[in-house]
Short mmCIF file of all heavy atoms in Angstrom, two decimals:
data_model
loop_
_atom_site.label_atom_id
_atom_site.label_comp_id
_atom_site.label_asym_id
_atom_site.label_seq_id
_atom_site.Cartn_x
_atom_site.Cartn_y
_atom_site.Cartn_z
N LEU S 1014 88.17 104.76 96.76
CA LEU S 1014 87.16 105.78 97.31
C LEU S 1014 86.48 106.42 96.18
O LEU S 1014 85.27 106.75 96.41
CB LEU S 1014 88.00 106.63 98.27
CG LEU S 1014 88.49 105.97 99.49
CD1 LEU S 1014 89.47 106.81 100.24
CD2 LEU S 1014 87.39 105.47 100.39
N ARG S 1015 87.10 106.83 95.16
CA ARG S 1015 86.46 107.57 94.15
C ARG S 1015 85.38 106.73 93.46
O ARG S 1015 84.27 107.19 93.11
CB ARG S 1015 87.49 108.12 93.12
CG ARG S 1015 88.41 109.20 93.61
CD ARG S 1015 89.31 109.73 92.55
NE ARG S 1015 90.24 110.79 93.06
CZ ARG S 1015 91.54 110.68 93.12
NH1 ARG S 1015 92.13 109.57 92.59
NH2 ARG S 1015 92.29 111.56 93.59
N HIS S 1016 85.77 105.52 93.16
CA HIS S 1016 84.78 104.54 92.65
C HIS S 1016 83.60 104.32 93.55
O HIS S 1016 82.42 104.30 93.01
CB HIS S 1016 85.48 103.28 92.39
CG HIS S 1016 84.52 102.19 91.79
ND1 HIS S 1016 84.06 102.18 90.47
CD2 HIS S 1016 83.96 101.03 92.33
CE1 HIS S 1016 83.31 101.15 90.25
NE2 HIS S 1016 83.20 100.49 91.37
N LEU S 1017 83.84 104.14 94.79
CA LEU S 1017 82.71 103.97 95.74
C LEU S 1017 81.85 105.19 95.79
O LEU S 1017 80.59 105.08 95.69
CB LEU S 1017 83.31 103.75 97.18
CG LEU S 1017 82.33 103.69 98.33
CD1 LEU S 1017 81.43 102.51 98.17
CD2 LEU S 1017 83.11 103.59 99.64
N HIS S 1018 82.44 106.35 95.76
CA HIS S 1018 81.61 107.62 95.77
C HIS S 1018 80.79 107.79 94.52
O HIS S 1018 79.62 108.08 94.60
CB HIS S 1018 82.56 108.79 96.01
CG HIS S 1018 81.87 110.00 96.18
ND1 HIS S 1018 81.19 110.34 97.42
CD2 HIS S 1018 81.63 111.17 95.53
CE1 HIS S 1018 80.57 111.49 97.38
NE2 HIS S 1018 80.89 111.99 96.24
N ARG S 1019 81.38 107.42 93.41
CA ARG S 1019 80.69 107.60 92.07
C ARG S 1019 79.52 106.67 91.95
O ARG S 1019 78.49 107.01 91.43
CB ARG S 1019 81.75 107.40 90.98
CG ARG S 1019 81.21 107.66 89.60
CD ARG S 1019 82.25 107.66 88.49
NE ARG S 1019 82.98 106.42 88.45
CZ ARG S 1019 84.21 106.22 88.88
NH1 ARG S 1019 84.84 107.18 89.38
NH2 ARG S 1019 84.70 105.03 88.85
N THR S 1020 79.72 105.41 92.40
CA THR S 1020 78.70 104.42 92.22
C THR S 1020 77.63 104.42 93.26
O THR S 1020 76.49 103.94 93.05
CB THR S 1020 79.31 102.97 92.12
OG1 THR S 1020 80.09 102.75 93.35
CG2 THR S 1020 80.25 102.95 90.91
N GLU S 1021 77.89 104.93 94.45
CA GLU S 1021 77.02 104.82 95.63
C GLU S 1021 76.33 106.17 96.05
O GLU S 1021 75.33 106.18 96.84
CB GLU S 1021 77.67 104.20 96.79
CG GLU S 1021 78.19 102.82 96.57
CD GLU S 1021 77.05 101.77 96.40
OE1 GLU S 1021 75.95 102.05 96.83
OE2 GLU S 1021 77.35 100.68 95.82
N ARG S 1022 76.70 107.28 95.57
CA ARG S 1022 76.37 108.53 96.11
C ARG S 1022 74.86 108.84 95.86
O ARG S 1022 74.23 109.43 96.76
CB ARG S 1022 77.17 109.72 95.51
CG ARG S 1022 77.05 109.82 93.90
CD ARG S 1022 78.12 110.73 93.37
NE ARG S 1022 78.04 110.82 91.94
CZ ARG S 1022 78.89 111.42 91.17
NH1 ARG S 1022 79.92 112.04 91.71
NH2 ARG S 1022 78.80 111.37 89.79
N GLU S 1023 74.27 108.44 94.70
CA GLU S 1023 72.84 108.64 94.44
C GLU S 1023 71.94 107.80 95.42
O GLU S 1023 70.72 108.13 95.44
CB GLU S 1023 72.53 108.49 93.03
CG GLU S 1023 73.21 109.51 92.16
CD GLU S 1023 72.87 109.38 90.74
OE1 GLU S 1023 72.02 108.57 90.39
OE2 GLU S 1023 73.42 110.15 89.84
N ASN S 1024 72.52 106.79 96.04
CA ASN S 1024 71.73 106.00 97.02
C ASN S 1024 71.83 106.49 98.38
O ASN S 1024 71.34 105.85 99.30
CB ASN S 1024 72.20 104.61 96.89
CG ASN S 1024 72.03 103.97 95.62
OD1 ASN S 1024 71.00 104.14 94.84
ND2 ASN S 1024 73.09 103.26 95.07
N CYS S 1025 72.52 107.61 98.61
CA CYS S 1025 72.69 108.14 99.96
C CYS S 1025 71.76 109.43 100.16
O CYS S 1025 72.15 110.49 99.56
CB CYS S 1025 74.22 108.55 100.10
SG CYS S 1025 74.54 109.32 101.72
N PRO S 1026 70.84 109.33 101.06
CA PRO S 1026 69.90 110.45 101.18
C PRO S 1026 70.67 111.71 101.75
O PRO S 1026 70.35 112.86 101.27
CB PRO S 1026 68.99 109.97 102.28
CG PRO S 1026 68.96 108.51 102.08
CD PRO S 1026 70.24 108.12 101.70
N ALA S 1027 71.64 111.48 102.60
CA ALA S 1027 72.36 112.67 103.09
C ALA S 1027 73.18 113.43 102.03
O ALA S 1027 73.28 114.65 101.98
CB ALA S 1027 73.44 112.22 104.19
N TYR S 1028 73.67 112.60 101.04
CA TYR S 1028 74.36 113.22 99.89
C TYR S 1028 73.49 114.09 99.08
O TYR S 1028 73.77 115.18 98.70
CB TYR S 1028 75.00 112.03 99.04
CG TYR S 1028 75.46 112.52 97.60
CD1 TYR S 1028 76.75 112.93 97.50
CD2 TYR S 1028 74.59 112.60 96.59
CE1 TYR S 1028 77.22 113.32 96.22
CE2 TYR S 1028 75.03 112.89 95.31
CZ TYR S 1028 76.34 113.38 95.14
OH TYR S 1028 76.74 113.79 93.95
N LEU S 1029 72.26 113.50 98.84
CA LEU S 1029 71.26 114.18 97.96
C LEU S 1029 70.78 115.47 98.69
O LEU S 1029 70.66 116.55 98.09
CB LEU S 1029 70.10 113.29 97.64
CG LEU S 1029 70.46 112.11 96.84
CD1 LEU S 1029 69.30 111.10 96.70
CD2 LEU S 1029 71.00 112.44 95.43
N ASP S 1030 70.57 115.37 99.97
CA ASP S 1030 70.03 116.59 100.72
C ASP S 1030 71.14 117.66 100.75
O ASP S 1030 70.84 118.90 100.48
CB ASP S 1030 69.75 116.18 102.17
CG ASP S 1030 68.50 115.31 102.35
OD1 ASP S 1030 67.72 115.27 101.38
OD2 ASP S 1030 68.38 114.68 103.39
N ALA S 1031 72.40 117.27 100.92
CA ALA S 1031 73.53 118.25 100.93
C ALA S 1031 73.69 118.92 99.58
O ALA S 1031 73.92 120.08 99.42
CB ALA S 1031 74.80 117.68 101.39
N MET S 1032 73.58 118.13 98.50
CA MET S 1032 73.66 118.62 97.17
C MET S 1032 72.59 119.65 96.90
O MET S 1032 72.81 120.68 96.31
CB MET S 1032 73.63 117.51 96.12
CG MET S 1032 73.84 117.99 94.71
SD MET S 1032 73.97 116.69 93.55
CE MET S 1032 72.38 115.86 93.72
N VAL S 1033 71.40 119.28 97.27
CA VAL S 1033 70.21 120.22 97.03
C VAL S 1033 70.50 121.50 97.79
O VAL S 1033 70.20 122.59 97.24
CB VAL S 1033 68.94 119.56 97.44
CG1 VAL S 1033 67.79 120.60 97.45
CG2 VAL S 1033 68.58 118.42 96.53
N ALA S 1034 70.93 121.42 99.02
CA ALA S 1034 71.19 122.62 99.83
C ALA S 1034 72.26 123.55 99.15
O ALA S 1034 72.06 124.76 99.11
CB ALA S 1034 71.68 122.26 101.19
N VAL S 1035 73.33 122.96 98.61
CA VAL S 1035 74.29 123.82 97.94
C VAL S 1035 73.79 124.35 96.64
O VAL S 1035 74.02 125.46 96.31
CB VAL S 1035 75.53 122.93 97.63
CG1 VAL S 1035 76.51 123.63 96.65
CG2 VAL S 1035 76.24 122.54 98.95
N LEU S 1036 73.02 123.55 95.87
CA LEU S 1036 72.38 124.09 94.72
C LEU S 1036 71.40 125.32 94.91
O LEU S 1036 71.46 126.32 94.24
CB LEU S 1036 71.58 122.93 94.06
CG LEU S 1036 72.37 121.88 93.24
CD1 LEU S 1036 71.44 120.72 92.84
CD2 LEU S 1036 73.05 122.44 92.04
N LYS S 1037 70.70 125.13 96.00
CA LYS S 1037 69.79 126.33 96.38
C LYS S 1037 70.59 127.51 96.77
O LYS S 1037 70.26 128.63 96.34
CB LYS S 1037 68.81 125.85 97.53
CG LYS S 1037 67.78 124.86 97.08
CD LYS S 1037 66.85 124.53 98.27
CE LYS S 1037 65.69 123.62 97.86
NZ LYS S 1037 64.89 123.24 98.94
N ALA S 1038 71.65 127.24 97.51
CA ALA S 1038 72.50 128.36 97.96
C ALA S 1038 73.18 129.15 96.83
O ALA S 1038 73.47 130.29 96.84
CB ALA S 1038 73.46 127.92 99.03
N ARG S 1039 73.39 128.29 95.77
CA ARG S 1039 74.18 128.90 94.57
C ARG S 1039 73.23 129.34 93.47
O ARG S 1039 73.64 129.51 92.34
CB ARG S 1039 75.23 127.85 94.10
CG ARG S 1039 76.27 127.61 95.14
CD ARG S 1039 77.38 126.80 94.52
NE ARG S 1039 78.53 126.68 95.49
CZ ARG S 1039 79.69 126.19 95.18
NH1 ARG S 1039 79.92 125.79 93.87
NH2 ARG S 1039 80.67 126.12 96.04
N GLY S 1040 72.02 129.27 93.76
CA GLY S 1040 70.93 129.66 92.78
C GLY S 1040 70.69 128.60 91.76
O GLY S 1040 70.33 128.99 90.50
N GLY S 1041 70.99 127.36 92.04
CA GLY S 1041 70.61 126.22 91.14
C GLY S 1041 71.76 125.64 90.42
O GLY S 1041 71.57 124.75 89.58
N THR S 1042 73.01 126.11 90.66
CA THR S 1042 74.14 125.51 89.98
C THR S 1042 75.25 125.13 90.92
O THR S 1042 75.49 125.80 91.95
CB THR S 1042 74.81 126.47 88.91
OG1 THR S 1042 75.21 127.65 89.56
CG2 THR S 1042 73.76 126.85 87.84
N ALA S 1043 75.91 124.02 90.73
CA ALA S 1043 77.08 123.56 91.56
C ALA S 1043 77.99 122.83 90.67
O ALA S 1043 77.61 122.13 89.77
CB ALA S 1043 76.56 122.71 92.67
N SER S 1044 79.31 123.04 90.89
CA SER S 1044 80.33 122.40 90.06
C SER S 1044 81.00 121.34 90.94
O SER S 1044 81.46 121.62 92.01
CB SER S 1044 81.32 123.44 89.59
OG SER S 1044 82.42 122.74 88.93
N LEU S 1045 80.99 120.09 90.45
CA LEU S 1045 81.59 119.02 91.20
C LEU S 1045 83.01 118.84 90.60
O LEU S 1045 83.71 117.97 91.21
CB LEU S 1045 80.77 117.74 91.01
CG LEU S 1045 79.44 117.76 91.49
CD1 LEU S 1045 78.73 116.40 91.38
CD2 LEU S 1045 79.31 118.11 93.07
#
Side-chain angles (χ1 to χ4, degrees):
L1014 293 167
R1015 292 186 182 115
H1016 176 75
L1017 172 64
H1018 189 70
R1019 184 172 60 252
T1020 58
E1021 299 292 341
R1022 60 192 177 187
E1023 293 183 4
N1024 299 317
C1025 175
Y1028 168 89
L1029 298 173
D1030 290 345
M1032 181 174 63
V1033 169
V1035 169
L1036 285 169
K1037 288 182 177 179
R1039 296 189 174 191
T1042 61
S1044 175
L1045 299 181

